[in-house]
Amino acid sequence: QVQVTESGGGSVQTGGSLKLSCVASSDLFSNCPMGWYHKPPGLERELISTISVTGTTSYAEQVKGRFTISRDNAKKTLYLQMDSLKEEDTGVYYCATDRTVPLRTRQYCAALGALGQGTQVTVFS
């Protein structure tokens, strides 16, 4: 059962900004490391940013310095602030448990491991 809902996508010109949100319905959210995944058109889905339960963040090289991940545990919501958008940022964005954490953690957070429908981001020049 999918327990996350992404929103906030849209069409934006290069250099523009968007802020994505991911609302979780599971009470496990505050105890689970989360991540944002990006699926470009015709390519594989990739993990682009993660945030631990204590707020430690990481970014893939292609988004470092442009995207900011954050979380509000009281609202069970994950965010992705996307600035200086490029055409290659186009695609569907999903949130889910950080897949790089140890298996035991992924098993504990399994309820947040299933991807939602995602939210489409289109960046045009």
Side-chain angles (χ1 to χ4, degrees), residues 87-110:
E87 288 188 61
E88 50 263 44
D89 296 322
T90 293
V92 182
Y93 286 77
Y94 304 88
C95 72
T97 303
D98 176 3
R99 70 184 183 198
T100 67
V101 297
L103 177 60
R104 177 177 291 185
T105 303
R106 281 185 277 128
Q107 290 174 330
Y108 174 76
C109 300

Side-chain angles (χ1 to χ4, degrees), residues 38-84:
H38 172 219
K39 187 182 184 310
L43 298 175
E44 295 294 315
R45 187 173 55 243
E46 57 186 348
L47 180 62
I48 59 168
S49 185
T50 67
I51 186 166
S52 73
V53 296
T54 58
T56 301
T57 60
S58 72
Y59 300 93
E61 281 301 318
Q62 63 266 36
V63 305
K64 195 174 292 184
R66 300 188 298 119
F67 290 9
T68 304
I69 190 171
S70 61
R71 65 191 299 162
D72 185 331
N73 289 334
K75 295 182 178 180
K76 294 190 288 186
T77 301
L78 182 72
Y79 301 101
L80 186 68
Q81 176 66 46
M82 310 166 69
D83 298 318
S84 303

